[in-house]
Amino acid sequence: MSRKVKSVRVPKELETIDLSGVIRECEAYLRDLESATLLKAQGNRDAAEALIKTRERDLGKRIGMMVYKARVEYGRSRGEKE
């Protein structure tokens, strides 16, 4: 799997977002989905569902923090220009 992002259009507010970090978080989420699938196949449905719910919340927080940091950086750079 290639990790290189070649072309992405993002709003000015998100120019400084760490796209590689976003991809890494998604890769980790995919690994957890595979683990949940194995747990479910082994008959441990509750553990699989708990893993997915926990990971989804964690993924949302991490991506949200990346977006927030990029927006703050944009605000700082915009304030310096004025």
Side-chain angles (χ1 to χ4, degrees):
M1 180 187 312
S2 178
R3 291 179 175 231
K4 195 171 196 178
V5 176
K6 295 188 179 203
S7 176
V8 176
R9 292 180 190 211
V10 295
K12 285 225 178 260
E13 292 87 356
L14 300 179
E15 282 181 345
T16 61
I17 196 164
D18 178 16
L19 292 176
S20 297
V22 172
I23 299 298
R24 275 193 304 277
E25 291 299 327
C26 292
E27 287 175 343
Y29 181 70
L30 285 173
R31 283 193 301 274
D32 288 340
L33 284 177
E34 291 171 2
S35 297
T37 302
L38 290 174
L39 285 169
K40 193 173 179 181
Q42 294 170 354
N44 202 343
R45 182 182 205 112
D46 292 335
E49 289 177 10
L51 174 63
I52 293 301
K53 285 181 183 179
T54 302
R55 188 61 180 119
E56 283 176 349
R57 281 191 299 266
D58 187 46
L59 179 67
K61 287 179 185 176
R62 289 174 185 252
I63 299 297
M65 186 56 71
M66 288 179 185
V67 170
Y68 173 76
K69 287 179 181 177
R71 177 60 179 97
V72 167
E73 184 63 34
Y74 172 76
R76 284 185 186 145
S77 67
R78 190 169 172 203
E80 292 173 3
K81 291 179 183 177
E82 295 177 340

